[in-house]
Amino acid sequence: MKDMKLYNPATKKTVEKISSAKNEPEWILEYRLNSLKKFEALRNKATPMEKKLLKQINYYKDPAAKKKNKWEDIPAEIKETFDVLGLPQAEKDFLAGIETQYNSEAIYGSLKRRLGKKGVVFTNIEKGLKNHPALFKRYFGKLVKPENNLYAAANGAFWSGGSFLYVPSNTQIKLPLQAYFRIGALNLGQFERTLIIVEKDSSAHYVEGCTAPSFSEEALHAGVVEVFVGENAHMRYTTIQNWSKNVQNMVTKKSSVERKGRMSWVDTNLGSKETMKYPSCYLRGEGSFGEMLSVTYSTKGQKINAGARMIHEGMGTKSRVISRSIARKGSEANYVGELRVEASAKNTKAQIRCDSLLLDEGAKSKSLPKLEIKCGRSKIEHEASATKLDEERVNYLISRGLTEMEARNAIIQGFIEPVIRELPLEYALEFNKLMESQIK
Amino acid sequence: MLKIENVTARPQDDPSAIIKNVSINLEKNKIYVLMGPNGSGKSTLAKVIEGDPKIILTEGSLAYKKIDITPKEPNERSLMGIFISRQNPPQISGLNVFSYLKLIYGKHHKNNLSPGEFSKLLDSEMNKLQLPLHFKERYLNEGFSGGERKKMEILQMLLIDPELIVLDEIDSGVDIDSLKTILRFLKQHHKRKKSTILFITHSPEVALKINPYKMFVMKEGRIVAENGKILIERIKNEGYETL
């Protein structure tokens, strides 16, 4: 049921309401209104199902919770989600910074003083815009454009909440910076916006984990993430996606990488009804490196399209894609990606490896990489496979005393191990736990 | 220890490797050898003892320690103390050797070793088997040579500590030094545990080295001869044709 007081449709009025509530500069309002125009144009070409979904969702939810700094004050509902994920309280000490999203407004935890002293900014996107207008002028919206796709356009118009991370030059952040997102109200469209800037010779690891309770109607998650990796800087962006099975997860993530910089997307998908997510790396600087490590697990009623877009522009750039997907019960797990090597990108190396494991007869998987190679002097490798769970291996483990369930789990977890081992330990354990509970 | 009675069975994926009306009796604390030409059904017999679901048992029964195990699943048989080493152990990508070995050790032993205690036990067994310790951090059999895979089978056997052991061509694909190590281990285990061992091999030389209590010859799915060491000498000189 729609609470009309809380409901905001996709209109100019809603855009203006958001912008004035956030007290935004004029140029951001213009950006929003321009995005709205693009959104309206793209919506005309949308499928009937998309149109229906876009009619249902609420485009803005007023701030529902005050910002809090202490763990003790974080709402019980959110703490419960942490428990589901098996996150022990003691772990907070390991966290370099905590942020939690509640009803599309961010509740931010404390960022350790140490990081602040180094000049690191880790805050919500609104505060980032307010306090660092010059950085926003320079970077905001420069990678993801409203014309990129329908959902990026919607995000451009209605974005609210999300994170801002700025790492000044010569600064190494060793502990992963973690952020949790969840959908907290009926039919709430989440249009988070994340902007990350890692300057020259610096490094950071950002972790985003998502869970959501079940809803009776469709919900949309259409986040936008922009990551700028400076010269010789290293950035890793890890996602654990476990939206409830009614969420449409349409995310646009892009990064640009300068000379000798390294960008790594680690992307794991367990939940959502449908996901479309193709993080990209624009490898601009000479000798830059882009990587995507992806795991998807899909079951009944799910369709997951995940993949990477690697765009080689600089000389001697390298990219690597490892995708492992597991599908069962008639679900679909596809690799959809793009590899583009521009004429300027001499001596490029690119490797794409997509494997899928089909757990039963109805499950489907396709590998659809689009290759566009404009420079002959490049080394491209592409391999794809789709296999069934090998009964001989299962039987081998059973003959050594394992139950059939244990044997199957050992092989399935082994299949995704090359990606899972790249997750921070607690997430790797969580992921395996969530997956085991699914397979049972 | 193991009584196989009138077993007729055929593998689902290879109907030619059928075995017909096979009866053998293996006593406790004795070593046996099974020989025979290619495709005579030796591996099928090993799989029948393992309980491989891909083998269809049309007739007969198996009794282990006087218990009818014909309806038992392979993992139940394993937990009862039956171990069958594979001729071609598969590789399992992503399955960490240490975690896997600790898991199967835990399945077969009541004493709950801590990871540290288990690691100590494992290191000592691996050293004796001349398996490099860094194999603990590798994936099961991935990138292992034939000999290393066979040693990994023996390592699993040692950790499981079974009472009935069937070794399906443990000597194939193994160099002479590794084979010596493996045989020494088997003899030690046999002596300590008083286990029953059925050794399947192609090589009369290896069979002689094993010095079995008794030997069986299989041909076209049947046991065609059963005798002491003298039978090995005969096969060594004349082959299987006259049997």
Side-chain angles (χ1 to χ4, degrees):
Chain A
M1 246 179 44
K2 280 175 189 170
D3 179 343
M4 290 316 288
K5 267 184 273 176
L6 284 176
Y7 182 71
N8 291 295
T11 57
K12 194 178 169 204
K13 208 176 136 195
T14 298
V15 167
E16 284 165 350
K17 184 173 170 185
I18 297 170
S19 199
S20 98
K22 292 178 189 295
N23 208 2
E24 286 174 349
E26 191 63 26
W27 73 272
I28 289 285
L29 176 61
E30 272 167 33
Y31 175 85
R32 286 183 184 275
L33 292 170
N34 176 46
S35 298
L36 180 65
K37 273 187 201 143
K38 299 273 162 36
F39 171 70
E40 284 163 350
L42 288 163
R43 191 177 49 184
N44 289 335
K45 289 184 269 179
T47 64
M49 249 169 68
E50 280 176 323
K51 281 182 183 162
K52 195 179 157 210
L53 168 69
L54 291 169
K55 248 183 225 164
Q56 284 170 359
I57 62 165
N58 189 359
Y59 286 81
Y60 180 59
K61 180 91 163 93
D62 295 327
K66 248 174 75 185
K67 276 168 208 160
K68 314 217 171 145
N69 290 317
K70 288 179 191 160
W71 268 91
E72 289 74 25
D73 296 331
I74 287 173
E77 213 188 2
I78 288 173
K79 283 183 179 163
E80 276 161 30
T81 309
F82 289 163
D83 289 342
V84 170
L85 285 169
L87 197 72
Q89 188 65 32
E91 219 166 78
K92 66 180 179 182
D93 293 327
F94 289 98
L95 307 180
I98 300 290
E99 55 173 321
T100 311
Q101 186 137 346
Y102 180 69
N103 284 359
S104 84
E105 283 299 315
I107 303 167
Y108 281 89
S110 50
L111 178 65
K112 282 200 174 150
R113 213 176 286 156
R114 204 163 44 83
L115 292 180
K117 271 186 189 160
K118 286 181 178 175
V120 174
V121 182
F122 184 37
T123 182
N124 66 40
I125 190 97
E126 283 84 3
K127 212 167 166 184
L129 171 62
K130 202 169 181 185
N131 297 339
H132 306 275
L135 286 173
F136 272 69
K137 268 268 184 200
R138 189 167 160 200
Y139 292 105
F140 183 90
K142 292 296 189 293
L143 279 173
V144 177
K145 304 278 166 65
E147 52 268 35
N148 286 157
N149 63 64
L150 177 65
Y151 299 99
N155 184 290
F158 305 106
W159 63 272
S160 184
S163 305
F164 173 63
L165 171 64
Y166 176 77
V167 186
S169 59
N170 243 319
T171 307
Q172 321 305 323
I173 306 178
K174 296 213 171 68
L175 296 171
L177 295 160
Q178 326 210 358
Y180 291 87
F181 296 92
R182 62 180 306 199
I183 291 177
L186 184 69
N187 275 351
L188 175 65
Q190 285 235 322
F191 299 105
E192 323 93 343
R193 185 95 197 186
T194 292
L195 177 61
I196 294 174
I197 302 154
V198 186
E199 298 276 27
K200 198 177 164 192
D201 298 323
S202 293
S203 64
H205 183 183
Y206 181 90
V207 183
E208 148 193 70
C210 313
T211 58
S214 297
F215 293 102
S216 54
E217 291 174 53
E218 308 271 26
L220 171 70
H221 177 81
V224 163
V225 176
E226 294 176 292
V227 182
F228 295 86
V229 183
E231 254 187 64
N232 200 35
H234 292 192
M235 176 65 203
R236 172 167 283 198
Y237 191 109
T238 297
T239 304
I240 318 266
Q241 186 272 109
N242 190 23
W243 295 113
S244 64
K245 300 289 190 293
N246 59 332
V247 168
Q248 301 280 332
N249 185 39
M250 308 293 176
V251 190
T252 309
K253 289 177 166 172
K254 291 190 180 188
S255 69
S256 73
V257 194
E258 300 305 325
R259 204 174 77 89
K260 288 195 171 165
R262 293 173 74 88
M263 175 66 204
S264 166
W265 299 100
V266 180
D267 199 59
T268 61
N269 291 290
L270 275 164
S272 82
K273 181 180 182 194
E274 186 177 0
T275 284
M276 288 170 77
K277 180 162 47 172
Y278 323 111
S280 61
C281 295
Y282 287 82
L283 301 169
R284 291 186 171 150
E286 195 181 323
S288 57
F289 172 78
E291 176 181 58
M292 158 86 162
L293 306 172
S294 166
V295 161
T296 68
Y297 170 81
S298 60
T299 186
K300 201 176 171 185
Q302 285 183 286
K303 182 178 176 182
I304 297 184
N305 284 336
R309 296 178 61 236
M310 293 293 173
I311 291 99
H312 293 257
E313 295 174 4
M315 289 218 307
T317 48
K318 286 180 191 161
S319 69
R320 178 167 85 123
V321 176
I322 298 176
S323 164
R324 298 274 157 111
S325 53
I326 300 169
R328 66 196 279 253
K329 290 195 174 170
S331 64
E332 216 178 313
N334 299 322
Y335 177 83
V336 182
E338 182 185 348
L339 172 67
R340 200 159 83 212
V341 179
E342 301 291 357
S344 54
K346 291 192 180 89
N347 298 321
T348 285
K349 275 187 193 160
Q351 188 194 4
I352 305 171
R353 170 95 221 202
C354 317
D355 299 293
S356 46
L357 185 60
L358 306 173
L359 296 188
D360 46 48
E361 290 300 321
K364 290 182 283 275
S365 173
K366 274 180 289 195
S367 176
L368 306 160
K370 193 175 129 194
L371 305 177
E372 196 181 328
I373 317 295
K374 292 177 190 160
C375 177
R377 286 168 66 189
S378 49
K379 202 177 157 210
I380 313 292
E381 284 172 46
H382 170 237
E383 285 175 79
S385 76
T387 48
K388 288 190 182 133
L389 194 63
D390 181 7
E391 289 306 323
E392 201 217 311
R393 290 185 168 94
V394 175
N395 292 339
Y396 175 76
L397 296 179
I398 293 174
S399 78
R400 298 292 146 91
L402 273 64
T403 63
E404 190 183 347
M405 185 69 78
E406 288 168 333
R408 289 170 72 90
N409 261 329
I411 292 167
I412 291 166
Q413 292 189 0
F415 175 72
I416 56 174
E417 210 275 341
V419 177
I420 298 304
R421 72 166 174 226
E422 300 292 333
L423 296 176
L425 183 65
E426 68 271 27
Y427 286 90
L429 295 173
E430 273 170 30
F431 191 88
N432 283 337
K433 212 185 282 173
L434 285 168
M435 217 180 53
E436 254 171 49
S437 72
Q438 291 253 316
I439 288 169
K440 264 168 205 165
Chain B
M1 179 59 86
L2 181 73
K3 206 168 180 185
I4 301 176
E5 272 186 306
N6 307 319
V7 163
T8 296
R10 81 186 140 79
Q12 253 172 7
D13 43 12
D14 182 12
S16 67
I18 193 163
I19 59 171
K20 293 161 207 152
N21 201 26
V22 169
S23 296
I24 56 174
N25 190 8
L26 306 180
E27 290 170 41
K28 188 177 163 63
N29 197 16
K30 295 275 184 334
I31 297 180
Y32 299 85
V33 163
L34 173 63
M35 293 185 76
N38 282 331
S40 58
K42 303 186 298 295
S43 287
T44 304
L45 183 63
K47 287 175 183 169
V48 164
I49 300 170
E50 181 185 299
D52 187 328
K54 286 227 164 112
I55 307 288
I56 300 158
L57 201 77
T58 47
E59 258 177 274
S61 65
L62 291 91
Y64 171 70
K65 291 186 184 172
K66 296 190 176 134
I67 301 166
D68 181 14
I69 58 162
T70 322
K72 297 246 186 252
E73 298 292 332
N75 53 336
E76 295 174 291
R77 296 184 193 196
S78 171
L79 298 178
M80 290 170 85
I82 301 174
F83 180 87
I84 285 85
S85 95
R86 294 281 180 104
Q87 192 179 337
N88 299 305
Q91 67 171 51
I92 299 179
S93 298
L95 182 60
N96 175 275
V97 166
F98 180 84
S99 329
Y100 167 65
L101 294 178
K102 183 157 190 320
L103 179 65
I104 61 169
Y105 181 85
K107 290 267 171 197
H108 292 87
H109 299 273
K110 285 195 179 76
N111 59 330
N112 221 340
L113 293 187
S114 72
E117 289 165 332
F118 178 72
S119 192
K120 236 171 148 178
L121 168 76
L122 186 57
D123 288 1
S124 112
E125 299 288 18
M126 287 177 83
N127 281 330
K128 283 190 259 168
L129 267 175
Q130 287 154 7
L131 267 171
L133 292 184
H134 67 82
F135 273 45
K136 285 192 289 188
E137 295 315 317
R138 289 177 66 174
Y139 297 148
L140 187 63
N141 292 333
E142 193 173 78
F144 288 22
S145 70
E148 287 161 351
R149 285 186 190 214
K150 294 294 170 73
K151 280 184 177 178
M152 197 47 76
E153 292 289 281
I154 296 299
L155 182 60
Q156 291 177 57
M157 185 207 88
L158 291 168
L159 293 170
I160 288 173
D161 201 23
E163 292 174 80
L164 172 65
I165 299 162
V166 180
L167 301 155
D168 192 1
E169 292 190 25
I170 197 77
D171 52 326
S172 71
V174 176
D175 63 58
I176 188 79
D177 289 334
S178 298
L179 184 59
K180 265 182 163 169
T181 310
I182 288 172
L183 292 181
R184 195 172 64 235
F185 259 83
L186 284 167
K187 283 203 170 144
Q188 280 169 8
H189 185 268
H190 169 69
K191 216 169 165 185
R192 180 177 60 74
K193 186 80 180 177
K194 304 202 185 324
S195 52
T196 302
I197 302 180
L198 177 63
F199 214 108
I200 301 173
T201 182
H202 268 295
S203 155
E205 285 81 8
V206 172
L208 281 169
K209 237 179 250 161
I210 292 158
N211 191 20
Y213 166 71
K214 200 187 239 180
M215 112 133 212
F216 303 99
V217 175
M218 247 183 139
K219 233 175 126 177
E220 289 165 2
R222 294 175 196 277
I223 302 284
V224 292
E226 162 169 5
N227 208 328
K229 257 172 40 176
I230 190 160
L231 192 53
I232 307 174
E233 295 286 358
R234 191 173 148 192
I235 291 166
K236 198 179 165 188
N237 297 327
E238 300 170 23
Y240 297 109
E241 272 187 29
T242 59
L243 288 168

